[in-house]
Amino acid sequence: MAMGMANNLRFVSRLKALRCFEPLTILKRNAGTQTTNPEITHFGFKNVTVKEKPKKVNEVFDRVAGNYDLMNDVMSAGIHRLWKDRLITVLNPCDKTKLLDCAGGTGDISFRFIKRVKLQHDCPEPNVTVCDINPNMLEVGRRRAETQNLHLKWVCCSADDLCFPDASFNAYTIAFGIRNCTHIDKVLKEAHRVLEPGGRFLCLEFSEVENPYLRNLYNTYSFQVIPVMGEVISGDWKSYQYLAESIRKFPSRSQFSQMMRDAGFQSVSCESLLFGVCSIHSGFKL
Amino acid sequence: MWVNRCGRNALRTYSSFARMRSIRTQAYKLSVASMSHPVLKIHAAPTVPERVRFLTTEKDGKNEENSKTEETNSEKNENKKEEESVNTVKVKILDNALDFVVDHGWSRKALSCGAEQAGYAGVAEGMFTGGGDDLVLYFIQKCNFQLVEYLKFTIEEHEAKEEKIKVTSFIRSAVEYRLRMIIPFIGAWPQAMGILARPDIFPKSAEELAKMVDDIWYYAGDRSADINWYTKRGILAKLYGSTQLVMLTDQSPDFKDTWEFLDRRISDISNFAKISQSVKDNGSAFVETAFSGAKVLKNIAGFGDTKR
């Protein structure tokens, strides 16, 4: 009983220490801090060294891997499934499409791709490779694939240093993963390298809500509801705080489109989903 | 006589619009003449016609930062070069996709197969936001460009033989040439007509039809600057549309029935033109008689003015 009381006190003290009770002006102030030092990058609203960030991101995903799919469903009320369905619809794969699902740990995008290609094109073995920096996420994905009897390749490597030869895929997707990468420009250049001419790069990522009233509502939900859900369901507050903060630190739609063009992608376009909560960025290697 | 005045004013307004249009058309023709026509020379040097510009629908996110900074000349040049290179690839994919229209219709599947044949990944068809609609519009633009080349060639031939162009036979040969381009795709043409009639596509397809009939009349030698500018193009558009419909259900060898239908419609139009010309020549007396009859009726009813 004493332990139960201690846990409750810890929970309450965490609630009190919560940054999300601060007014949203402080959110804006923290979200805007940038540094010109190339050795320093952001991890949520904190500044960390470039060498530390991959380790910290790995720790976050080690913690969330177990309940990743459940938490996705709870946080977005199942809407993330529609976003991922839309991503595959936009891709419109055919039987000759070779997909690299980057940061695709638990395999949501890959499974949808396989089901669609099998259904529409009668292809028995769609060519899909899933790569992720975190082996625990890949393990969760492997177990899910076994239960559904799907055959994919699972590779553990970093998105900014892919271990595949040039022009080995014709579709590259990265869903809700690119904001966790340390060097987004390197990830884009690697994506450009491994794609064939005519290959498509698709990035599904959270973005800024356009409408200011909805944006306030979304900020309140992100900082006051999601970490509480994380604590209650997974006992992990910090990871979901990091999730909300990392969304705010990601470049805007036009900045990211320009980064894609700088990496060599052409015919770059952007589609907003759910009033701007999510965006699908698309580019082609020509 | 205010009815008379209103009618004359309306005609004057229409005529001035027609004059403006004809001046604009002639300026456009000069610009077209100076442009290279890449469709026929596409194997030599694939430059993209200006008319294909609508295919590059690049949607960005909000460009707040871009609107604040001024684009320098070099940036604009770079953007233009990028757009041109993207357009070149798109035209290559569209040309190859036409080979698959018979099997897959005017669809994304045809574009995907075309992309693979052109040496690109099948998913490159995602560049076309309209999918099969873009393919249909590209095809009719390509046909219209080839038609203009044919019209120029016909005129040069007549000039070489020092013959005067007979308008009716010129127009007949132009319409036949243009309709024959559809023959390889006639199985999928009803689907194409359905796409072109859809409300979101109709403005573009109507524009292409208008440009085509304008091209035919211009090269036939029409320089009218009055209401005839509209009537001639309207009649030709209707002629083209009706002949196209007849062609869809024609099972005769080499579409013989279609060309006979075309001949009959053209003779009807030329007969009508002759009759209307004679009415115009002799019509002034008729018009005056009609108006004087109207004045008499007004006087009887009590609304007439006291002047004779």
Side-chain angles (χ1 to χ4, degrees), chain B:
Chain B
M1 288 299 147
W2 62 271
V3 171
N4 207 4
R5 224 180 293 143
C6 278
R8 266 191 245 134
N9 281 339
L11 261 176
R12 252 186 238 137
T13 324
Y14 272 126
S15 307
S16 61
F17 277 139
R19 236 175 284 132
M20 277 173 2
R21 268 193 166 270
S22 78
I23 291 166
R24 215 167 51 204
T25 313
Q26 284 172 18
Y28 161 70
K29 295 296 173 208
L30 284 171
S31 68
V32 164
S34 64
M35 210 164 68
S36 66
H37 287 280
V39 171
L40 292 184
K41 300 172 197 169
I42 204 149
H43 299 295
T47 55
V48 179
E50 273 179 38
R51 283 179 180 179
V52 190
R53 229 184 298 138
F54 75 90
L55 288 176
T56 56
T57 46
E58 291 207 5
K59 274 178 269 178
D60 285 337
K62 277 197 184 155
N63 284 325
E64 313 104 16
E65 290 92 31
N66 283 350
S67 61
K68 285 176 194 162
T69 59
E70 283 169 355
E71 266 187 36
T72 57
N73 269 342
S74 58
E75 276 176 15
K76 280 183 193 163
N77 284 340
E78 268 180 42
N79 285 343
K80 217 177 173 184
K81 274 185 199 161
E82 197 204 293
E83 209 181 293
E84 271 176 25
S85 72
V86 169
N87 272 352
T88 312
V89 173
K90 281 185 171 176
V91 167
K92 211 166 147 188
I93 293 177
L94 287 164
D95 275 333
N96 281 288
L98 289 174
D99 296 339
F100 298 95
V101 166
V102 174
D103 295 321
H104 301 295
W106 306 91
S107 64
R108 285 198 179 272
K109 177 75 184 160
L111 282 170
S112 175
C113 297
E116 277 164 17
Q117 189 171 276
Y120 297 100
V123 290
E125 54 87 6
M127 279 198 287
F128 302 99
T129 45
D133 313 340
D134 285 345
L135 187 55
V136 178
L137 282 166
Y138 172 76
F139 175 68
I140 61 174
Q141 284 182 343
K142 186 176 169 180
C143 288
N144 291 346
F145 261 110
Q146 284 179 339
L147 175 67
V148 167
E149 293 293 301
Y150 170 75
L151 296 174
K152 283 185 178 173
F153 172 73
T154 315
I155 287 174
E156 278 165 17
E157 256 193 344
H158 282 282
E159 277 173 6
K161 292 180 193 165
E162 288 181 8
E163 282 171 5
K164 204 184 165 195
I165 296 166
K166 270 181 84 178
V167 175
T168 44
S169 64
F170 182 86
I171 288 174
R172 190 221 180 276
S173 70
V175 173
E176 183 182 341
Y177 184 81
R178 179 62 178 80
L179 284 171
R180 278 192 184 276
M181 289 188 210
I182 298 169
I183 291 173
F185 304 96
I186 198 120
W189 199 247
Q191 185 198 0
M193 286 177 70
I195 290 172
L196 293 170
R198 255 183 26 221
D200 51 340
I201 306 289
F202 181 71
K204 287 181 190 155
S205 71
E207 190 188 339
E208 288 303 319
L209 178 66
K211 282 183 185 166
M212 183 192 80
V213 297
D214 190 30
D215 282 334
I216 295 176
W217 268 116
Y218 180 84
Y219 286 104
D222 175 51
R223 301 288 182 273
S224 54
D226 54 4
I227 194 124
N228 288 322
W229 191 94
Y230 293 95
T231 53
K232 281 177 173 171
R233 280 143 185 82
I235 289 168
L236 181 55
K238 192 129 190 281
L239 169 74
Y240 175 81
S242 56
T243 318
Q244 187 183 225
L245 277 173
V246 167
M247 204 168 100
L248 285 181
T249 52
D250 188 3
Q251 302 294 332
S252 61
D254 196 34
F255 298 89
K256 192 163 67 71
D257 291 347
T258 309
W259 314 131
E260 282 171 9
F261 173 87
L262 179 61
D263 288 330
R264 286 197 301 272
R265 291 290 77 73
I266 286 184
S267 67
D268 284 346
I269 290 166
S270 57
N271 284 341
F272 181 75
K274 282 181 197 148
I275 292 166
S276 62
Q277 186 62 35
S278 75
V279 163
K280 212 175 151 189
D281 291 338
N282 307 320
S284 54
F286 171 76
V287 163
E288 276 181 21
T289 320
F291 276 125
S292 59
K295 191 167 181 184
V296 163
L297 284 170
K298 255 173 66 180
N299 285 335
I300 291 168
F303 295 110
D305 49 2
T306 51
K307 295 180 201 163
R308 280 198 169 195

